[in-house]
Amino acid sequence: MMTASSTGDARQPFWTTRYGIATPVATETAAARSLQLYGEWAEQETTLLSGLVDEGHTVLEFGGDYAAHALWMAQAVGPAGQVHVAEPRRIRFQQTCANVAINGLDNVFTHPVWLGKGKGQVSLASMLPGARAGDEKVRLATVDSLRLDALHLLKVNQSHALVDLLAGAGDTIRTHRPLVYARLTGIDEARAEVDALKALGYRVWSHVPYLFNVDNHAGNDTNVFPGMVQQNVIAAPADGTFEFADRLEL
Amino acid sequence: MKDPSPRPDRRHIRRIPVAIAGFLAMTVAACTDAVDHEAEHARRARQMRDVNRMLDAMEGFGQVASATSAPPAPAPSAAVTTAASRETPDHERAPRWRWSPWALLAGGGGIGALAFVLVRRRRRPVASPAPSIAAFFVDPADDAPEQAPGEPSAPPPTDTAPISTPSPTWIYQPSRYEAPGLHMVAPAVDLLVPPHDDRRSVPETTYPTLHTALANAAGDAGPFLVGDPTYPRLRLADASSEALRAWRDLIADHLDDSGDDEHLARWLAPAIDAALALELPPRDAARQMTDIVADVARVKASMAETDRPHAEALLVRLHLANIERLSGATRLFAIRELAAGLAGAVDPLLIDARIDVLLAWASWSLGAAASARLDEADTACDALASEGGEGGDRARRRRGEILLHRAALCRTDARLARLDEAQRLLDEAYRCQPDAETALLLATAAERRAALLPAPAAENACTHALVHAFLAEASPAWRSAALARRRAVQRLYESLPSPTETDPP
């Protein structure tokens, strides 16, 4: 059951989620609403990715989602591993940091940047066409500029970002050949995003997880995401040994 | 001179016309026999047709022979019947001396007429044609008497008059093409797998009551007991909730018994409770599993030191069954903790249970993470093999199982080599320990090889897979899985290109 029903419930200051506690946030996004109602977010993504992440791995996640996935990934990679979370929006970045802090995740590193193909500052509205949220200036950086010592999984949650992010991650990808898991932006950009992955020498498979998990952590039977799925892809270097035989290869 | 003989009475003179009339009547009766003979001949011809039809249906010449060899009973003659009916009453008889000449004359006439009839009848077989089998092939339609339009068809003859059927004589001549006198008839091959009764694998003195009752309650779908007869493992197969509950009730009834039944009941109770708990929602199941683990701990405490690894291995498998229901990273964390607790296991039973854990973990993992788990499982196999004896056989089978998992992670070009090695190990393991579980694994390896091989080699691999799937089907505990495997092999075999398609032009 839920421990808090709204952000203004002072008696229950935290949401108890499957992988830790979370500070309540405004339920204006699907991730926040899922955390509030079900105590988890995109659990079917986690089911797949928990088979890929091992102790000692390094993961980079673009789009914090309130650290909903950083909570489990931090445990999955263990003390020897690292989880890097990039979140460009100021308040969401702070909420992510809060959840990392209150759960004591020493191996999680947060970055207040938009991961693209250049450096500087850009308008959020220019990066997110059609976004309803208010505009703000965000810092732009490349994956290569993070100078990661290792990278096993690159997870891209942020829409309208994959093509530019890959353009700014050439050196890192060539060096570490990480697996890439990304949420496709939509029908207009999906083909370009898949082509960008293939251009880097990757094979790409489809993954379509439902947003609602019947066995959710809160035991909530009400499905507020009826029939809703995410259009995701998982990509692996074509010269590697990775096979995803039971998935549709794109 | 006086005639010493008495003068004849004149009344006998008046009897002469009567005797002459009797003689003529007998003569006429003898002549009318020719007409009766024609009618009887037609009747016998009809009977012959009927017999032929019957014989055609029976298709047995021997029966024909026995029917025709019966001595014909003579038909009552009209003359005899007439003579018998004209017997004179005693009170009307004349004195013997008066009537004897006329009686002799009349009797002689009658005997002559009877002899004439008999002579006519004795000549008939002589006049009949030589024995032929043509009568057996006569078309009844050709032989049927013509019937006038509108005339009702005559009913089939129903009397049982003797049949003078020509008896065919068969002459057999030896030929170099004739069949040998002694026929070697091979016994029919029963392609169905003989039903295997698992109860026979359990010593009669062990669990005679409870084991039999459980087997009877299980039916064909399960659950089943496999492995060590003293500490068997529960295999659910296709068991329904009703069957599990029936087992739970049976086990509960025997918990207060003594001896082997009580021992088996206490051993199985946690496993069956866990199987039922896993059908509950996750939260309820988790609560029940806590109680079940405590039950196993109590069972373990009551066991001898040497038997405790059985209980520890049971605990591991109960935890694993619970973990398999979890999702997401929760499952990852739980199995990671379970595997870490088994890292230092030295008992073969616990090493085997640890391999189960690692293989389950590998099956949920991908890429390098899965390979890392399989590497750990290989290391565990080394420890198992170092035990020697049955441990070595078990390690060989588990290595084959690990290679099946490795092959699934490989690309197509590298997969075949892994599967070849897996099949080799499993073949060896099956030779050492021919059980249904190993046979099923072997069938799986062979089928996966067949999918990668060219047609001629694939057919051999399919045959290998099919044989071992058949063997696995003999065990009820593995029958369902083996049947599914056999169907998969048959589908694969039917999808292979025919030799003409693969031959080079």
Side-chain angles (χ1 to χ4, degrees):
Chain A
M1 293 298 292
M2 295 304 303
T3 57
S5 59
S6 70
T7 58
D9 192 342
R11 291 169 301 178
Q12 296 186 359
F14 299 112
W15 290 339
T16 301
T17 71
R18 187 184 284 272
Y19 304 111
I21 56 175
T23 55
V25 297
T27 55
E28 59 189 10
T29 64
R33 201 170 177 203
S34 181
L35 284 171
Q36 180 206 30
L37 290 174
Y38 305 124
E40 63 190 31
W41 164 236
E43 182 67 3
Q44 291 186 15
E45 276 187 13
T46 307
T47 299
L48 173 71
L49 295 176
S50 61
L52 296 170
V53 176
D54 209 349
E55 288 186 305
H57 278 189
T58 297
V59 179
L60 171 60
E61 186 179 26
F62 180 36
D65 285 347
Y66 316 102
H69 286 250
L71 294 180
W72 74 262
M73 286 194 289
Q75 298 175 58
V77 300
Q82 293 183 351
V83 177
H84 295 264
V85 181
E87 173 55 59
R89 284 158 289 204
R90 183 172 60 88
I91 297 298
R92 291 194 190 183
F93 173 77
Q94 292 169 350
Q95 290 165 333
T96 299
C97 291
N99 289 339
V100 170
I102 61 176
N103 285 282
L105 304 178
D106 293 337
N107 58 351
V108 176
F109 303 84
T110 53
H111 307 271
V113 294
W114 180 281
L115 293 175
K117 59 180 178 182
K119 291 183 179 179
Q121 280 202 331
V122 294
S123 164
L124 187 63
S126 66
M127 307 305 287
L128 293 171
R132 290 177 298 176
D135 193 13
E136 64 178 288
K137 292 288 185 182
V138 296
R139 190 158 68 90
L140 181 64
T142 63
V143 171
D144 290 339
S145 67
L146 298 178
R147 300 183 183 282
L148 300 173
D149 293 332
L151 184 59
H152 296 90
L153 174 65
L154 173 58
K155 185 170 188 291
V156 182
N157 304 327
Q158 182 64 58
S159 59
H160 305 286
L162 182 59
V163 175
D164 285 350
L165 181 146
L166 294 174
D171 290 343
T172 304
I173 288 175
R174 274 189 294 275
T175 304
H176 302 300
R177 306 299 283 167
L179 296 171
V180 179
Y181 187 85
R183 294 177 192 158
L184 295 176
T185 299
I187 194 167
D188 294 332
E189 298 183 43
R191 184 171 178 181
E193 290 169 337
V194 171
D195 288 344
L197 285 165
K198 290 184 176 179
L200 292 169
Y202 275 64
R203 295 171 68 192
V204 184
W205 293 267
S206 174
H207 185 225
V208 188
Y210 281 93
L211 293 187
F212 177 69
N213 174 29
V214 174
D215 295 325
N216 59 74
H217 179 68
N220 190 339
D221 295 332
T222 305
N223 184 358
V224 300
F225 307 118
M228 296 186 68
V229 296
Q230 294 170 319
Q231 299 292 336
N232 298 351
V233 291
I234 182 165
D239 54 357
T241 59
F242 188 87
E243 282 286 340
F244 210 167
D246 56 342
R247 297 283 172 193
L248 173 66
E249 185 168 2
L250 302 175
Chain B
M1 192 171 168
K2 188 177 178 178
D3 190 353
S5 61
R7 294 185 64 176
D9 191 352
R10 288 193 174 267
R11 284 181 296 181
H12 77 274
I13 298 173
R14 290 196 297 268
R15 304 277 184 175
I16 290 174
V18 176
I20 292 171
F23 177 74
L24 290 175
M26 285 184 281
T27 304
V28 168
C31 292
T32 56
D33 181 54
V35 177
D36 291 344
H37 169 71
E38 293 298 330
E40 186 174 353
H41 180 72
R43 181 172 60 83
R44 289 183 179 180
R46 286 197 303 274
Q47 288 175 350
M48 189 64 223
R49 285 196 301 273
D50 294 335
V51 169
N52 284 338
R53 290 169 189 160
M54 182 179 70
L55 291 178
D56 287 342
M58 293 172 65
E59 295 182 354
F61 179 73
Q63 295 168 353
V64 177
S66 62
T68 54
S69 62
S77 165
V80 174
T81 305
T82 306
S85 64
R86 292 181 181 180
E87 189 175 6
T88 307
D90 289 343
H91 66 275
E92 292 182 1
R93 280 182 191 164
R96 191 175 298 172
W97 62 271
R98 289 183 184 175
W99 297 103
S100 55
W102 300 106
L104 288 174
L105 182 62
I111 289 170
L114 181 61
F116 176 76
V117 170
L118 291 177
V119 167
R120 289 282 305 264
R121 289 190 174 178
R122 287 183 64 184
R123 282 177 182 171
R124 197 176 303 133
V126 176
S128 62
S132 169
I133 63 171
F136 292 93
F137 302 100
V138 170
D139 186 356
D142 297 340
D143 202 27
E146 289 185 6
Q147 187 172 347
E151 183 184 350
S153 58
T158 55
D159 57 352
T160 55
I163 303 163
S164 61
T165 308
S167 176
T169 300
W170 296 95
I171 298 172
Y172 295 98
Q173 292 183 344
S175 165
R176 60 195 181 102
Y177 299 111
E178 68 182 341
L182 180 63
H183 296 276
M184 298 295 291
V185 180
V189 178
D190 186 4
L191 294 177
L192 296 176
V193 178
H196 176 86
D197 190 352
D198 268 0
R199 283 170 288 183
R200 284 179 297 181
S201 63
V202 178
E204 290 293 331
T205 56
T206 306
Y207 318 125
T209 307
L210 179 56
H211 197 285
T212 304
L214 292 175
N216 290 337
D220 293 333
F224 302 100
L225 298 180
V226 297
D228 188 335
T230 311
Y231 296 104
R233 282 189 293 122
L234 190 67
R235 175 168 166 74
L236 296 180
D238 301 322
S240 63
S241 301
E242 289 74 18
L244 289 174
R245 279 192 284 272
W247 271 44
R248 183 184 60 189
D249 295 342
L250 281 170
I251 287 168
D253 291 343
H254 288 79
L255 283 175
D256 295 329
D257 289 355
S258 58
D260 290 341
D261 278 354
E262 183 260 351
H263 168 81
L264 181 62
R266 293 204 175 281
W267 172 252
L268 290 178
I272 201 74
D273 286 343
L276 283 166
L278 294 176
E279 296 187 344
L280 299 173
R283 289 172 183 278
D284 299 332
R287 277 193 292 273
Q288 288 211 8
M289 287 300 290
T290 304
D291 298 335
I292 292 166
V293 167
D295 289 343
V296 177
R298 278 193 292 275
V299 172
K300 178 184 167 186
S302 67
M303 294 168 73
E305 189 71 32
T306 53
D307 288 346
R308 288 185 180 174
H310 287 285
E312 292 170 6
L314 173 62
L315 267 178
V316 171
R317 292 193 169 93
L318 290 180
H319 279 302
L320 181 59
N322 193 35
I323 289 170
E324 283 175 338
R325 301 188 65 222
L326 303 177
S327 66
T330 308
R331 186 174 63 184
L332 172 67
F333 302 146
I335 200 163
R336 188 181 280 180
E337 183 180 356
L338 181 61
L342 291 166
V346 293
D347 188 275
L349 292 171
L350 288 176
I351 295 173
D352 198 48
R354 181 171 178 245
I355 294 172
D356 280 341
V357 171
L358 292 169
L359 288 179
W361 190 355
S363 69
W364 306 326
S365 303
L366 295 163
S371 295
R373 303 292 87 76
L374 296 177
D375 291 344
E376 290 182 54
D378 264 333
T379 306
C381 282
D382 293 340
L384 199 58
S386 67
E387 296 289 325
E390 291 184 2
D393 296 339
R394 184 73 177 168
R396 199 173 290 113
R397 205 205 81 177
R398 309 276 2 210
R399 282 190 203 283
E401 209 173 339
I402 292 167
L403 279 165
L404 283 177
H405 283 263
R406 285 196 189 281
L409 297 174
C410 291
R411 289 176 177 277
T412 306
D413 48 354
R415 193 177 301 160
L416 185 57
R418 299 287 173 91
L419 290 173
D420 287 345
E421 179 66 6
Q423 183 173 322
R424 187 187 67 77
L425 287 171
L426 291 168
D427 270 326
E428 288 180 14
Y430 188 76
R431 275 195 293 273
C432 298
Q433 191 174 0
D435 58 9
E437 191 176 4
T438 308
L440 187 57
L441 279 172
L442 187 46
T444 305
E447 183 214 345
R448 292 184 186 174
R449 283 185 67 241
L452 300 174
L453 290 168
E459 289 175 3
N460 291 334
C462 280
T463 304
H464 201 68
L466 207 55
V467 165
H468 288 87
F470 264 121
L471 291 169
E473 271 183 62
S475 170
W478 302 95
R479 182 168 297 153
S480 176
L483 191 60
R485 179 63 55 197
R486 186 157 62 87
R487 281 199 297 266
V489 174
Q490 285 171 337
R491 278 197 299 270
L492 175 63
Y493 182 83
E494 288 164 9
S495 70
L496 295 175
S498 63
T500 53
E501 294 176 27
T502 56
D503 287 343

